[in-house]
Amino acid sequence: MQAPPISTTASAPREAVVEERETDRSRDPAAGRRIPWWIWVLAGALFVSYAALSVRRHDMLLSRSFDLGIFEQAVRSYAEGHLPVSEVKGPDFPVLGDHFSPVLALIAPLYLLHPSTDTLLVVHAALIASSVIPLALWARRTLGAPAAVVIALCYGLSWGIASAVGFDFHEVAFAVPLLACSLTALANDRLRAAAYWALPLLLVKEDLGISVAVIGLLIARRGDRRLGIVTAVCGVTGTLLAMTVILPAFNPSGSYGYLIWLDGPGGEDSGLPALLHRLTIGLITPVQKITTLVLLLAPTLFLALRSPLLLVAVPTVLWRFASSYELHWGTGYHYSLVLMPIVFAAFVDALVRRRSAGGGVRRYLAASAAITALLLPQFPLWQLVQPATWRTDHRRDVADSVMDLIPDGATVQASTHLVPHLVSRTSVSLYGWADSRPYPEWIMVDTRVPDHLRWPQSAAEEKFKLRSAVKKGYRTVADREGFVLLERPSSAPGTSLGPEDS
């Protein structure tokens, strides 16, 4: 069966739709560029909510070395004028050998003005909130202002965005406004704009080139075959170049490290039969994957399935569900962030075509709002209305006072949630991580971390390693409220700890 065309007026011929749009623009050339005040208010309110939650969680010592510490070290590197490295990944580890995300360099000027983790968190919030604007404008123009308000709120409060906001900073936040703008342009026959907005995705993350390729195919299907094919080729070429040339060139192992997820945990279940299983029945098993798919489409009442725009989500869904890494399958963390603008763009497109064909949209909007409201308490944005989020813990001041004892520029190993608080002024790595720089000048550990937040070692392992460090000559400088600070003896700079101690 042929898929329905992407059109804001499905019942009208394509030529009539284009002519009508051109007539509207000739009457009011600025009509397409005006952004009503209430859309700015909506986007601003969402930005404040995202930023408040992210910064507050960081202040509560709930941010982590993976991945916030890594990203801040990359941005700090760009701000200092050199290629990005991350001590959290390993001594002088080249970040361009981990993921191809040169777009992070755009944050460097802001980081120079305010060298703090908060800078990344605020930028993260602004990028996500800005993606509401093109979707709301499109919905307002085609469905009316009330519908645009509902769609903007359902999108801005969706669980995929909430999960990403509640998990620090990630480079894919740059992809969200780009996807929203590209798909909005595509659905409104602004094909060149759709391609121009899509191509920068190649600088956000290596896998997004396949999403660019799908957008290119949709552009070709809309009528501009040359532009569509060029866009698709650029997308595929960009991904292949990043994965087979750039990333292996920078990675110390000489390969693209994340292909390991196509094998089973620890390398078992590898080989062609296992890969075929993972790319067939393994895409829908275990049931966690089906649950994620249902939750992705539920806020649209599965109406998004009627729009070809949803095809742009297929590459991301495929690599996640083909992966052997269980966290890729679920609804937590940031993995669904790039899917939300695609799903809601498909939702708007389907609603527009349904309305043009004489169908009502109010019940879909009401149901979408109800489902969003039901899911909201299960995800991190709900923490904004919880009193515990705003309650001050005296241990936070103690942590600051202990960290202040560490001089600027020192080499440090620290607990995962302390790392982001030291990145801006020290060379910090993760305590208990096998690849961390050995024998640092300082070790700072929070020994009272709840078990569900403790990583990458258990409490018993941590206790053993602290004792081993003391035996090697480290001096206890502070031990307050569970925060332990050790200093390496200056008289023995050549001594090194064994792997079991570092």
Side-chain angles (χ1 to χ4, degrees), residues 362-409:
R362 290 185 179 179
R363 64 180 181 273
Y364 286 101
L365 294 173
S368 178
I371 292 171
T372 300
L374 286 173
L375 291 176
L376 188 60
Q378 311 302 319
F379 293 92
L381 284 176
W382 191 250
Q383 296 171 15
L384 287 168
V385 297
Q386 302 302 305
T389 303
W390 308 104
R391 194 173 297 131
T392 301
D393 184 354
H394 74 283
R395 292 188 75 240
R396 181 66 180 85
D397 293 332
V398 175
D400 282 337
S401 66
V402 175
M403 284 188 284
D404 287 343
L405 298 174
I406 303 173
D408 293 350

Side-chain angles (χ1 to χ4, degrees), residues 41-51 125 129 132 152-153 155-157 381:
V41 170
L42 272 175
L46 290 169
F47 162 69
V48 171
S49 299
Y50 301 158
V132 172
L153 288 174
Y155 168 71
L157 299 175
L381 284 176

Side-chain angles (χ1 to χ4, degrees), residues 50-111:
Y50 301 158
L53 179 61
S54 296
V55 172
R56 183 56 185 160
R57 285 178 56 84
H58 174 62
D59 192 58
M60 295 169 67
L61 301 179
L62 293 176
S63 55
R64 310 179 190 185
S65 57
F66 279 70
D67 298 315
L68 181 55
I70 295 171
F71 285 121
E72 186 176 353
Q73 287 176 334
V75 171
R76 180 182 171 184
S77 297
Y78 282 122
E80 293 173 348
H82 58 82
L83 291 177
V85 295
S86 173
E87 285 289 296
V88 173
K89 289 288 293 186
D92 297 320
F93 184 93
V95 175
L96 289 176
D98 187 41
H99 287 299
F100 185 67
S101 304
V103 71
L104 292 171
L106 295 178
I107 309 177
L110 297 175
Y111 195 81

